[in-house]
Amino acid sequence: MATAGPNTSTSSAEERAVEERIERLQKQVQTARGYERLLKTNLAALEAEPSTTDMRAKVIALELEKEELADRLRRLRAGEVKPVSSAEREALEADLAEWKGKAQRRKSIFWDMLAMAQEGLAEVKTKEQLWEELGLEKVDGE
């Protein structure tokens, strides 16, 4: 049997001291992790809000819009803008509908003619290649 020597009591006291230090450090780590989570939550909340630069840009845009609206209102109050009668409005809306129909029919005819032209080509070309060769410009909605 091994007998307990004088080093045994010191080593057990050292072991207890080390274990106590480990427990203290583990508690500090837990506290630090909790604080880290809190800081990350606060950071996420701050990042979710618009930045000062974005807010300034929005304020400038809103001020410009306000000036434009104030100018329109001033012209309306001064009588510079002539109101449109309901008869004139109906006539304009009828003209608009008529011209929209014509434009749609012309567009349909154009696409039919383009398809026929592409069928007659010896080599297969994309719409962009054909338009480039014909010198046509792109129009919105194509």
Side-chain angles (χ1 to χ4, degrees):
M1 287 203 157
T3 57
N7 288 339
T8 309
S9 65
T10 18
S11 64
S12 62
E14 288 175 1
E15 284 179 19
R16 273 186 267 131
V18 168
E19 287 175 6
E20 288 174 4
R21 184 160 188 244
I22 289 172
E23 287 177 19
R24 273 196 325 272
L25 290 174
Q26 285 176 341
K27 288 179 182 176
Q28 286 177 353
V29 167
Q30 284 179 337
T31 304
R33 285 184 180 155
Y35 187 62
E36 177 190 21
R37 281 191 294 273
L38 175 67
L39 290 176
K40 283 183 178 181
T41 303
N42 289 344
L43 178 63
L46 289 173
E47 287 176 343
E49 294 179 11
S51 68
T52 305
T53 306
D54 292 340
M55 294 297 285
R56 284 187 182 137
K58 287 179 182 180
V59 166
I60 290 170
L62 287 171
E63 286 174 350
L64 290 174
E65 183 181 355
K66 178 184 170 187
E67 289 174 15
E68 290 173 9
L69 290 172
D71 184 51
R72 284 180 56 198
L73 182 59
R74 182 196 54 76
R75 286 186 285 138
L76 284 171
R77 286 182 176 162
E80 294 176 17
V81 179
K82 180 181 157 188
V84 178
S85 70
S86 59
E88 288 174 316
R89 179 180 293 273
E90 288 174 9
L92 288 172
E93 287 177 358
D95 284 346
L96 178 63
E98 177 185 347
W99 283 102
K100 275 186 178 180
K102 286 181 181 181
Q104 186 61 39
R105 286 189 295 279
R106 288 177 182 177
K107 188 175 180 179
S108 176
I109 292 169
F110 169 79
W111 288 115
D112 290 344
M113 296 295 287
L114 183 63
M116 288 191 298
Q118 284 179 318
E119 288 174 4
L121 294 176
E123 62 182 84
V124 177
K125 296 182 181 181
T126 65
K127 179 180 84 171
E128 289 78 18
Q129 291 171 335
L130 183 60
W131 280 51
E132 181 70 30
E133 285 183 22
L134 297 174
L136 299 174
E137 294 181 13
K138 279 192 170 185
V139 179
D140 291 337
E142 326 264 305

